[in-house]
Amino acid sequence: MRAEEGGQVQSSVRCVLFCVVALLSMLGEGMAVFALTLESADQLGSWGVTALFLAGLVPPILAAPAIGRWVDGAALFRVWILNLCVHVAIFAVMAIASNIFASLALMPVASICAVVNGAVIFKIIPRIRGGFSIARASSFLVVATSLAGIIAPAIASLVFAKAGIGAVLWYAAAGFLALALAAIFLSRSQAANGKGADAGNEPDPGGPVSPGGAALTRNPQLRILLLPVAAIVLFTAAEGVSGVFYLRGITDNDTGYAVLLGAWSVGAVFGSLLGGNRRFGTRSALPILLGGGLVGAAILTEGLWSNAAGLALVFLAGGLGNGLHNAGVRTAIYEYVPETRHGAAWAQLRMLINIMVALGYLIGTPGLLVGPARAIIVISGAATLLVIVVSAALYSWKAQAKVHGRTSATESRG
């Protein structure tokens, strides 16, 4: 019994250490993207930034079906290690070339590697979680993502200013090299424990699922939960663009604007941790809908109340909702999608997110489709809340219909 508990503790420690290493790779990638954005703006102007963003958004959308099939069908750790080696090589070549056009040409490959990396990590977490619940282990990665969003731009701007784009790209390569070494260690550790590094692609006991089709939309309850997911990505992206103009006007300086963004990110860290506890970790719909409601309320308040000090607290609550929502999304996929399709589900989720982000950038550009920045923010907040209310009603109706169906089936058997 003690040996079993000791093994669980070791596995739990291994899971935490893995999430720390994953944070290093996220920091490297975030630093690289931020520095490349600055370099594109300096060298090519606004069109260069647009080209960089499109290079990061479009290729994963087109490649999502192939990525999902590859991750779900091949030897998982081999796919992961190979992909990480390619990722390291891409950033190394970018650093050696020190040419913005070469970086733009390699960015599509880097963005596809990032999706493969995310899909594999998503699929591996249940296998290495140790004594943690899946929701708690997954929430650690959401926390890592939030922390990377806070830290990476600050470090990248400092390194970029002092040492240039090459140094930042070498840091990114080092981060993914550390993750590749961690992947090799995990592979050998799993094999030594008799679990099989690449095992786990057996058919799900809940019923076989064919290799084709959209893994995310097979379950009717998950289809409903995808509505708030899409809405939140769409309208937070729109707010992110319009907020550059609106919030900088409210705060009168870039420091105040950065503080507001930081408040949102700090809230997201706490929301991510909250999403892994027992109350939320076993009920994926609750963190998705409640977190989405907080996000929508925060954005709507932002547009209606132009008080910088007050908005810092509002953004803290909005970020908490954002982290709670993100943790719930991961838990929902684990709950509703068979393990054999986790890679495909994650790739398809990234495809949905990228599409919504691209649309959000268009909607959020002041004067392009909607109007002034403040109007865009108010509409984004109100629309998010509306989608949350509709989704909650649909989910409740579907859950009740499912219960009634089971009751009727039981009565007919009796």
Side-chain angles (χ1 to χ4, degrees), residues 255-268:
T255 302
Y257 173 61
V259 168
L260 289 179
L261 296 183
W264 189 285
S265 299
V266 170

Side-chain angles (χ1 to χ4, degrees), residues 189-277:
S189 177
Q190 294 286 93
N193 290 334
K195 297 179 180 179
D198 294 308
N201 284 331
E202 299 87 358
D204 186 81
V209 178
S210 61
L216 280 181
T217 57
R218 286 183 177 271
N219 185 282
Q221 289 174 292
L222 184 56
R223 281 201 299 269
I224 293 172
L225 293 177
L226 288 176
L227 294 176
V229 173
I232 287 171
V233 175
L234 174 68
F235 292 118
T236 52
E239 184 278 335
V241 175
S242 55
V244 173
F245 305 95
Y246 174 67
L247 293 175
R248 290 174 77 184
I250 291 176
T251 58
D252 293 326
N253 57 72
D254 289 343
T255 302
Y257 173 61
V259 168
L260 289 179
L261 296 183
W264 189 285
S265 299
V266 170
V269 171
F270 288 105
S272 303
L273 289 171
L274 185 62
N277 70 11

